[in-house]
Amino acid sequence: MPKGHPQQRNKAFKGESKRRAKQKSEGKLKKKIKKQEIKQTKSKDPQQEIQIERKVKDQEQRERVMKAVNTKIIAMFPMNQQANIAALKFRLMQHLNIQSVGISSYSTQDCFLNVEANGKLIKQPLRFIFLDRNPEQILDACKVADIVCPVLSCRDCNTNTISLDPHSNANAFDEQGYKLLSNLRAQGLVQQVCYIQDLEEISQSKRNVVKKLFTRYFESEFPGAHIVDDCSTLMRSVVVLHEQAVEWRDTRGYMLPDDLAYVNGELSITGTWRGQNGLSADQLVHITGVDDFQIARIELLGMIEQVFESTQPESLDPICRDKQHDIGDCDDLLKDIAGMQLQEEEEQMIEQESDVSYEDLDKEFEDEAQKKREQFEIVHRDTEDLDYEDEVEYGVEVKLRERYDKYQGLKNIRTSEFDPLTFLPDEAEKIYNFRFLKKIKQDVMEEMKQKEQIKPGMRIKITLKNVPELIVQRLTQPNKIYVISGLLKHERKMTQMHVRFHRHQMHNFVLKSKHQVFAQIGFRRAHINPIYSRILNNCSKTKYVKEIKDDTFYLASFYFYNSFPQQPVIFWQNDFDFRSSEIMGVGDIHRCDTFQVILKRIVLTGYPVKINKRKAVIRMMFFNPLDIKFFKPIELSTKLGLRGNILEPLGTHGLMKCMFNNFVKPNDVISLQLYKRVHPKFVNIQI
């Protein structure tokens, strides 16, 4: 065959071509399967698995909320002075062709607007709450709302100079609006739909500029929110948004009343029970801003009517009447009492070293000590001039052994042991103590699921017994909103509560311990007198502080009804009058423990006079030799990090001979640190 001649190729057998095509397709499938397996093995990242689990949990919570809630609640409130909520309500009613509001007497108030489902756009019943600039009403409405709708009016926007200085000429959020916003963030926000009002009053040439500016204001304060400027867009956004689960409110269950009736000391409240947990007739309920009440009976309304009577209601008495008031185990208690002991090695070193003659020293410094004592009585140093934060000043005639007899020495506040069962106040016998609060909450939640009679989403009528008539008059005031919430077991018992909080950035003043503040703990509000303490790393004890001047986290301790975490806590100076009161602190519940050790420290300071290597004569710490002998077992420390002990007093004017673990420098400051356990003041709770 000549070179370059094409070779002969016969036609392939049909079955062979099919077999080869099948082999190729199978090979491709195997490669795809291998690639998918490799991808699956690579995607087994713990962080990705955690994210997937979170998404699944969020989806389950969303489905649970959608099943449990029939009516969607939307709270609308102004964020500046020019926002007109009444005009917005009238315009919304015109858009929906609604002439009358509500069905019953309580829901016919001006602040409510009920919208029924029509099967087209509105597939779920809606209930709008229109609120004035009353912070108490706004916070209560946002506790139960599924969607919050802040309203900003652009009527006062100066369009002539807005391009020169947008911040000053926009007049968007005012001072009260920013205060309200900080409170809402501390309480917890749900889904937001922001409404720009009075945009049609702006000239056509400046309208887009103003809208962009107010949109930017909303986006900076409510990231991810829907921003609308007309009623049709508002309704579409409200219908589309899904309800967001809030853990602290859903674990207890709550209700916004539709109707109230009062007959012979019994208050009947009608509404739909909301949240993720049900209700039992033996539980207690709380009316926000009022008090806790017992349930007489619960009537189930709707297709199936049923009445649940209260058989064994939980007691309203918050005080313990017997001595067995510990709830939970107590295996984590410390068993040894902290104390100071002198080391044998230091005593041997003291005996070996040469002694110094101090016979003439008392005479030499007698006149000078007298002058210092007189000066000490007249001149008092400022807090900035003190060498230590907790340094105390006292007169010459004060007997320190009597004044500070309850104090004791600790080598180290973090590592030294302190028995939590010692130095307890008399109130410890009357209140309850909770150990392992999270475990107790799990047991309470399981027990509640077994005993629940009312499930979320049911329309019910709760009848409360022993309700005073004055409270009913408060509840039936026009345009008043009250929230009914269920209490878990043990949440009426008095205990010592500890809240982990930090000073709010808008509050620039000093927070002082034992001063009365107005607190909101979840659904509850009351006046309390907390004491503050500094949280120490890797330590169960905390250090008492008189004042809080920085924005770090502290522990606030006070006596109050038990509340299970997680619940937001807000501290105010006074009541809800934002003109005179500011938000002071924001935090959440840390624990409820009567045996929490809070130690108050005081520091006595002295200065070296005569130095001989590791020995020195110290003055100005004591003015009485009996005081020196009383505090002799306690270890000394210096500002430069030395440790020492008191050897003996010298003379009658407070001089003492001390021994340290290294050479003493003349510019050093010697300190003696004393600790005492403190407790908050037990006062009657004022709601």
Side-chain angles (χ1 to χ4, degrees):
M1 185 178 291
K3 196 173 183 179
H5 189 275
Q7 295 183 0
Q8 183 179 354
R9 293 182 179 179
N10 297 325
K11 185 178 179 182
F13 182 62
K14 291 183 179 180
E16 185 71 15
S17 61
K18 289 181 180 178
R19 185 177 62 82
R20 288 178 181 176
K22 187 177 181 182
Q23 286 179 353
K24 288 181 181 180
S25 62
E26 287 178 355
K28 290 180 180 179
L29 284 173
K30 287 180 181 179
K31 288 181 181 179
K32 286 183 180 180
I33 291 169
K34 286 182 180 179
K35 287 181 180 180
Q36 289 177 359
E37 289 178 354
I38 291 169
K39 287 182 179 180
Q40 287 178 359
T41 54
K42 286 183 179 179
S43 65
K44 285 184 178 180
D45 185 17
Q47 193 66 26
Q48 290 181 357
E49 291 179 357
I50 291 170
Q51 291 178 358
I52 292 169
E53 289 179 359
R54 286 179 180 175
K55 288 181 180 179
V56 172
K57 286 183 180 179
D58 292 342
Q59 185 66 23
E60 289 178 355
Q61 280 187 353
R62 189 177 297 172
E63 291 176 357
R64 212 178 301 157
V65 171
M66 288 292 293
K67 291 178 182 178
V69 178
N70 294 325
T71 304
K72 188 182 293 185
I73 299 177
I74 303 99
M76 309 190 73
F77 49 88
M79 297 299 290
N80 57 9
Q81 193 172 4
Q82 295 299 324
N84 192 345
I85 299 298
L88 179 59
K89 178 185 176 183
F90 180 73
R91 178 167 294 185
L92 190 62
M93 291 174 65
Q94 282 185 335
H95 176 75
L96 298 172
N97 295 324
I98 298 176
Q99 297 179 358
S100 61
V101 180
I103 305 168
S104 57
S105 59
Y106 185 79
S107 60
T108 52
Q109 300 184 42
D110 295 337
C111 58
F112 291 118
L113 176 62
N114 297 327
V115 180
E116 297 180 357
N118 55 13
K120 297 178 181 178
L121 175 64
I122 306 173
K123 298 181 180 180
Q124 186 179 1
L126 305 177
R127 188 175 191 185
F128 290 89
I129 307 176
F130 298 91
L131 304 160
D132 295 330
R133 305 205 77 184
N134 186 345
E136 180 181 2
Q137 295 289 91
I138 294 174
L139 289 179
D140 287 346
C142 291
K143 286 184 179 70
V144 298
D146 301 312
I147 298 172
V148 295
C149 183
V151 180
L152 274 183
S153 175
C154 54
R155 183 176 298 175
D156 283 352
C157 183
N158 193 349
T159 57
N160 296 326
T161 57
I162 193 172
S163 58
L164 300 176
D165 190 1
H167 180 72
S168 301
N169 297 316
N171 296 324
F173 290 97
D174 56 6
E175 185 179 357
Q176 293 188 30
Y178 278 116
K179 288 183 179 180
L180 177 62
L181 181 61
S182 61
N183 284 275
L184 291 174
R185 285 174 176 168
Q187 179 177 273
L189 281 172
V190 291
Q191 299 281 7
Q192 307 107 34
V193 177
C194 305
Y195 189 87
I196 303 175
Q197 194 180 26
D198 300 327
L199 193 62
E200 64 278 358
E201 297 184 6
I202 306 297
S203 61
Q204 190 69 31
S205 59
K206 299 287 185 178
R207 188 172 297 176
N208 290 334
V209 178
V210 173
K211 183 178 179 180
K212 287 181 180 179
L213 180 61
F214 275 74
T215 302
R216 195 166 64 195
Y217 268 99
F218 271 129
E219 289 176 349
S220 62
E221 302 298 342
F222 301 96
H226 291 232
I227 302 171
V228 299
D229 57 352
D230 59 344
C231 292
S232 60
T233 314
L234 172 66
M235 291 301 300
R236 285 197 298 270
S237 301
V238 164
V239 170
V240 168
L241 280 179
H242 295 289
E243 291 84 349
Q244 184 178 353
V246 182
E247 182 182 359
W248 70 267
R249 73 178 186 184
D250 292 339
T251 52
R252 284 153 186 83
Y254 56 94
M255 183 175 69
L256 183 66
D258 294 338
D259 194 11
L260 301 174
Y262 182 72
V263 178
N264 297 328
E266 291 186 346
L267 178 64
S268 299
I269 304 172
T270 305
T272 303
W273 192 252
R274 304 168 64 85
Q276 296 181 8
N277 289 320
L279 181 68
S280 172
D282 294 333
Q283 281 184 245
L284 300 178
V285 295
H286 176 75
I287 302 178
T288 301
V290 184
D291 202 355
D292 303 333
F293 298 96
Q294 289 180 334
I295 298 175
R297 59 189 173 275
I298 302 176
E299 300 178 24
L300 182 61
L301 307 177
M303 298 293 292
I304 302 174
E305 295 185 358
Q306 192 174 357
V307 179
F308 300 98
E309 297 286 344
S310 177
T311 57
Q312 295 178 351
E314 192 173 350
S315 176
L316 285 172
D317 190 0
I319 304 298
C320 180
R321 299 303 176 185
D322 54 1
K323 293 187 177 180
Q324 296 179 357
H325 57 276
D326 284 354
I327 300 176
D329 298 328
C330 53
D331 297 334
D332 61 337
L333 279 182
L334 301 175
K335 298 180 180 179
D336 298 328
I337 301 175
M340 296 302 300
Q341 296 179 354
L342 294 175
Q343 299 180 0
E344 296 180 359
E345 297 179 358
E346 291 187 359
E347 291 179 355
Q348 294 177 0
M349 293 173 62
I350 292 170
E351 294 177 357
Q352 292 176 1
E353 293 204 3
S354 60
D355 196 3
V356 182
S357 177
Y358 293 97
E359 295 177 357
D360 300 331
L361 193 60
D362 189 29
K363 296 180 181 179
E364 183 179 349
F365 295 104
E366 184 176 357
D367 298 335
E368 187 176 355
Q370 183 66 27
K371 293 179 182 178
K372 290 288 183 182
R373 286 156 58 185
E374 294 175 357
Q375 184 181 3
F376 196 77
E377 287 181 338
I378 298 172
V379 180
H380 292 278
R381 293 176 294 174
D382 297 331
T383 55
E384 299 177 355
D385 299 332
L386 297 177
D387 296 312
Y388 289 88
E389 180 185 3
D390 302 316
E391 186 177 349
V392 294
E393 290 187 335
Y394 44 87
V396 180
E397 304 301 329
V398 175
K399 297 179 181 179
L400 299 182
R401 61 187 180 275
E402 296 178 359
R403 182 171 181 178
Y404 302 121
D405 60 336
K406 295 182 180 179
Y407 286 80
Q408 63 180 2
L410 294 179
K411 191 171 184 179
N412 192 321
I413 189 174
R414 287 184 174 86
T415 59
S416 299
E417 296 182 354
F418 196 100
D419 189 0
L421 296 177
T422 57
F423 304 105
L424 290 173
D426 297 337
E427 291 80 9
E429 297 182 356
K430 303 177 183 179
I431 63 177
Y432 291 84
N433 181 56
F434 293 87
R435 306 297 183 84
F436 307 108
L437 202 62
K438 293 183 179 179
K439 179 64 172 64
I440 297 172
K441 182 183 177 182
Q442 291 177 0
D443 297 340
V444 168
M445 297 295 290
E446 291 177 0
E447 183 181 353
M448 188 182 68
K449 288 181 180 179
Q450 296 175 0
K451 294 183 178 180
E452 69 178 11
Q453 299 167 340
I454 301 300
K455 294 183 178 180
M458 291 183 174
R459 185 168 178 80
I460 59 174
K461 180 179 180 182
I462 303 176
T463 303
L464 307 180
K465 56 185 177 182
N466 300 327
V467 181
E469 190 174 355
L470 293 175
I471 292 177
V472 179
Q473 293 177 2
R474 288 173 54 187
L475 294 174
T476 54
Q477 289 179 2
N479 296 331
K480 269 285 186 180
I481 297 173
Y482 287 96
V483 179
I484 316 298
S485 58
L487 294 180
L488 301 179
K489 188 178 180 180
H490 307 310
E491 284 196 331
R492 177 65 182 182
K493 294 178 171 59
M494 184 69 68
T495 184
Q496 185 174 341
M497 186 175 292
H498 307 280
V499 173
R500 186 175 180 269
F501 83 106
H502 65 90
R503 191 179 66 168
H504 197 266
Q505 58 184 359
M506 294 183 65
H507 187 77
N508 299 322
F509 300 100
V510 177
L511 304 184
K512 295 184 179 180
S513 292
K514 302 179 182 179
H515 281 210
Q516 189 182 73
V517 298
F518 191 63
Q520 174 177 287
I521 305 170
F523 285 102
R524 283 170 161 161
R525 290 195 297 264
H527 293 273
I528 59 173
N529 294 76
I531 61 172
Y532 307 124
S533 57
R534 183 177 285 111
I535 301 173
L536 305 176
N537 295 330
N538 301 325
C539 181
S540 60
K541 300 182 286 293
T542 57
K543 180 179 170 294
Y544 171 81
V545 293
K546 293 181 180 179
E547 298 177 345
I548 295 179
K549 299 179 181 179
D550 55 359
D551 298 336
T552 57
F553 279 93
Y554 286 86
L555 199 71
S557 305
F558 51 92
Y559 291 106
F560 196 67
Y561 302 130
N562 172 50
S563 295
F564 292 107
Q566 296 282 336
Q567 292 191 66
V569 180
I570 310 174
F571 292 152
W572 291 282
Q573 282 180 331
N574 300 312
D575 293 347
F576 282 100
D577 187 7
F578 283 171
R579 296 176 183 176
S580 60
S581 178
E582 292 184 357
I583 181 171
M584 299 172 60
V586 177
D588 56 359
I589 298 172
H590 180 64
R591 61 190 300 184
C592 297
D593 190 2
T594 310
F595 300 140
Q596 173 68 38
V597 178
I598 305 172
L599 296 177
K600 179 182 179 181
R601 186 184 75 167
I602 64 168
V603 181
L604 309 178
T605 56
Y607 306 93
V609 177
K610 186 78 174 180
I611 299 174
N612 183 8
K613 295 182 180 179
R614 297 196 301 130
K615 287 185 178 180
V617 176
I618 309 301
R619 64 174 181 177
M620 300 301 296
M621 183 178 290
F622 300 104
F623 298 104
N624 194 325
L626 297 177
D627 292 340
I628 299 174
K629 292 179 180 179
F630 184 82
F631 293 104
K632 184 179 178 181
I634 301 176
E635 189 179 33
L636 299 175
S637 61
T638 69
K639 208 165 188 180
L640 298 180
L642 302 182
R643 295 280 180 176
N645 295 285
I646 300 173
L647 298 181
E648 59 181 355
L650 299 175
T652 59
H653 299 294
L655 297 176
M656 59 182 181
K657 182 166 63 173
C658 302
M659 180 73 178
F660 296 90
N661 62 347
N662 207 340
F663 292 171
V664 183
K665 295 182 180 180
N667 62 340
D668 206 348
V669 180
I670 289 79
S671 65
L672 186 145
Q673 299 181 5
L674 301 173
Y675 295 90
K676 183 185 74 170
R677 188 174 183 179
V678 294
H679 300 273
K681 188 178 179 182
F682 191 86
V683 295
N684 294 327
I685 297 176
Q686 300 176 3
I687 298 177

